[in-house]
Structures are given as C-alpha cells and as structure tokens.
Amino acid sequence: MNKPKVYFMDARSESPDTSLINKTITVFEAAGFDKMIKKGDVVAIKMHCGELGSSAYIRPAYVRAIADKIKEMGGRPFACDTTTQTYGTWGSRVTELDLIETAERNGFSSATLGCPFISADGYVGTSDYRVDIPEGYLLKEAYIAQAIAAADKVIVLTHFKGHGMGVIGGALKNLGIGCQSKRGKFNVHMGRHPSYGIGDSTVFHPENFKGKEKDADWELLENCCPLGLFKVTDDDELLWEREKCINCLGCGSWMNPRGIFEPNLANFDATDIAIADGALGVIKAVGKENIGFINVAVDVSPKCDCAGFSDVPLVPHLGVFASKDPVAVDQACVDAAKNAPGMPGSLAEEMGIDAPGERKFDLGGGAIEGLSEQTTINTGVVNGLGSRDHEIVNVQPLGRDRFAFPPDPRPTKIRFEKMFEKFQPFPFDKHNGRGYNRLDKVDIDAVKGHDGPTVNPHSHKDAAYHGDGGWHPGDDDSSFKPRSSSNGDDKKTD
Amino acid sequence: MGRAQDLLEKAMGNMNTLLENQEFNGRFKSGLEKLELQKDKFFFQSLAGLPSANKLFKATEKMIPECNESNMLEIEKIIQEIDDKADAPGTVLT
C-alpha cells in the first residue's frame, strides 16, 4: 500500500513566494486541494478563531488566502468554528453570539476573510448531523456540526500546537473536537460515561473545602457549573450531584487546585481516544475525497488556542504541512517538533524536554502526567482513519509572480505612472529638486552605538526637530511656527 | 509518584543536606516547612508544578557547591512562587 504523502515547506522565508502564507497556498496546490474543488462547491474552511486572550491562533491572512484560492477555483467558501462546551468559568465561545464576537475581536470577519465567518453548530451548539461509527475504538456515534456536514468540501486549516487535554492540537483535534457540535463535544469528552466520565470516575474530596469564611471564592464553586450541580450548604458542606455531570470541564480549575477533585487520568486518555473516533465521524459525514488538511506549525504554543493565553512556543516555527490524511499530517508535525530543539525560555526548557529527540508534548502540552502525544494518532490508525507511516514531499516555491497583490496584480509602472503624474507625491519643486529640508550629512556612527549616542542631546524646549548641533525649524518656510509657540514670542535661537 | 513530586522531593532532599550550613539553616528550615504544606497538592500531582519543581531542584543543586546569599535568595524566590501558584485556579485542561 502506498504511504500517504505529506507536502511540506519549512518556516524559513526570504522572498514573497516563500512567505508562510504563500507557502500555505503552495502546499494546498501540491496536495491537490485546488483540483478537489469544483465550480459551485460550497467549501467550509474549519479553523480555530482563538479564545479571547490567546494570541497564537492562526492569523486571518492565512484563512483569507485559502478563501481567495477557493473562489479562484469557482467555489463558495465560508470560514467557521464551533461553539464550546464551556471549558471554563468565563468562556468566550460558548454560544454563537460569543463565538462571533470573539472571532471579530481576534480579527475574523467577512471583511478580513473575504467570506462569511459562521458558527457551524448553530446558536447553542445543537445544530448537528449524527453519524454512526461502528469502526470507532470507543465512540460508536458522533454529532457533526451541521454546516460542516452540509458543505460540499472541507479544508481543515489547523494551527498546530499543544493541548492540555488532547496533548496535541492538530488536524485530528480540529476534526474530533472542533468539527463536533456542542452536543458532540460532550460525547467526545466522556460526559456521563460509566467508566471515564468525571461524574463517575473522579475521586471527590468535599472534606478539602475550607468553608465560606476561609475561601473567598466559594461562590465560584457553585457558579462554575452550567447545570448548577454544586451547592455549599449553610453548614459549609460542599455537595455535588455527580450523577448528572456532563464533563463540561467548567469546574476543574476550581476543584483540582483545592484538592476537592482527584482527576482521573483515564478520563483524559479516553477523551484523546475519542477525539480520533470523532474525527472519523467527520470523515464519514463529509466523505474522505472531499476533505483536505493543512497544518500551520508556527507559534507552537504549549496549550491550545482555546486556553485564553499563549505561552512562548515550545519549539521554533516548523513550517506548513498538507495532506489528505489527517493522521499522517499530525504525525509529521509531532515528528518535526520532536526533532527540533526546544525554544530557549519556553516551557520545553523548564520541563527539561528541550533537547532534539525529546517528545515535546507529553509534558509540554498535557495538563497531567501520563498523557501521550501519540494516543489520538494511534487510535486514528486503529479505527482506520489514516496512517502514521507517511512520505514527506518537500515542495518548491512557485515563484514570486504567482503572489502579486490580488486586488491589482499589475506591476508598479502600469498601476501608478498616470496617477503619480496627476498627483505627484514627491515635492520635486522644493529644495533644488531634492524635495525636503534635510541636512546634507550627519554623524551616522554617533547614533549607532548600543550604549547610547555619542553626541549630546539638544533641548526640546523649542526645537521641532534637531540633528546637527543647531536647529532649523522651517528653514525656508516663513509660515513655520515652533510647536511650543503659544503667544508668538518664540524666537529662533541659532 | 509523579515527575513534579519526584523532583520536589529531590530538591527538598538537597535542602535537608544544606541544613548543615549554619548561616542559612533557619531559612532552609522555613523553606522546607512551606514546601511540606504544598507537596501533596494537585499543583505537584499535575504537570503544572513541574517547571517550579525543576527550577527549585536546579537552584538547590547550584547551592550545594556555592552556598551564598545570592543563591539562597533565588531558592527563596522559587519557594515564594510555589506558594503563590499552588492554590491558584487555572489548571488548563482544554
């Protein structure tokens, strides 16, 4: 059997055609995604718009470039993300309204993307399409966001990074969590699962609750659950209706540090397995021939874009990867990160995993010890989603003439000659054709030293600008008045 | 025992050895008392505490051959960081 191909370009850039955005388009074409799109196809671009506060999420310019390419092929693109479970106490993408507002704050709108940005699973997150997945390792059904299931083609455009629960945030997670509706996310996160659900498997230590007086944030223990399952009684007893817990993860950051919850590693492992099954559900809903994957492995932050912050990247930029196989494309990124040196000053260094050859995400991504960057990938092999084994194809740049400014790709003379004749922006008529009032020569070396200038600074009292020991405001301009002039008494002093 | 707890134990072991130094004995005792209160918390059971444990271990290793005020201050700074972080919410699961 042929190994799946992963089309790759590294992160170095020294010309317009090797810009990372244009490399993304280059691998898009190399992987044949342009040929996949037919005239009239509605094409979903599944991306992660970033939780409020995160800064490493994919830049809108990448999405725009893909949207432009899809339109060039005759397709009708839309960009999308999905609503979240809640995950935390102050989630910023929990409803469609939250999601759109956060996306706009983070720079994603029809104005920036050249196509609409929508919530793929509706207002609350219940607009979905159920698929059976008998091949699933753990899940046997999945709920796919409606707009993704309804699209003719899907481009899964992923910012590759680490993830607290999923360990890696790659194409598989963009499918297995990102393309699931909110309802589907509860399924993948093991809500109400008899062995792996938080309600059934977490060891609960209510005795570690210190009481209202000693815990200034005690009200948050009640208010962090969307179902209101926690209650602090008048006797300072913390009650939890655990049998109703749906694994929204809203309470973990309050209960875990207090020792009230003893998290169960199996819940995390099971979720990582389920991510691959959820991903398979998307492929079944959309069709393998209708979907392509691009991983942009830059700003490889330890935690996901859903965390609300972005730490120093674990490794330097790795490059862009494209494939028809989501397992292969994620494995290629994991391998590249493993082989890369850790970024100085990053969590990789603090964790002691900065040497090339060290797995970067087991400790750098995962929230608790014992998780593996391979769990989801290996499950994707087992459930038939794809192959770890792959062939890297190094793609060559397409040439700078392919990447002209899309709204007006004509060269400079043709675009501007007439305009500049009419509206000459350079004042040729001033200063003997030199245009501007400038000194002929200055001591350049005097301001190049790292430890500061070697000439004395001038007073700013009256000078609008200075540079040669004297000052020359409006040398040949009788209308010039120094900035400090308020009563007309200011005089030239040189 | 998890990696963070293991490293913390090693750091505390180093600090116990360093108790022999009369000049810093009191400050090491006080540091050890603080760490004793934190070592079984989720912060060290999870990976959240691993960078701090790692830093503390390295700082104590440095202190053994070079027992001076500057290195002592570094250790105390890390212990203070641990105190500040250990009970703070924010374990990132997602």
Side-chain angles (χ1 to χ4, degrees), chain A residues 25-43:
Chain A
I25 294 301
T26 306
V27 295
F28 177 100
E29 288 185 17
F33 299 161
D34 52 343
K35 293 177 187 71
M36 179 177 82
I37 294 160
K38 307 293 178 221
K39 194 169 165 41
D41 276 351
V42 172
V43 185

Side-chain angles (χ1 to χ4, degrees), chain B residues 15 19 24-34 72:
Chain B
M15 287 168 69
L19 282 173
F24 299 111
N25 172 283
R27 290 161 76 180
F28 276 121
K29 246 186 204 163
S30 157
L32 280 164
E33 280 167 15
K34 285 182 182 172
M72 185 72 230

Side-chain angles (χ1 to χ4, degrees), chain A residues 87 163 165 256 350-351 369, chain B residues 3 42 50-51 54 89 93-94:
Chain A
Y87 297 146
H163 192 283
M165 196 164 208
N256 295 338
E350 287 187 345
M351 292 285 200
E369 196 163 354
Chain B
R3 196 179 288 230
F42 176 73
L50 182 52
N54 202 8
L93 303 178
T94 58

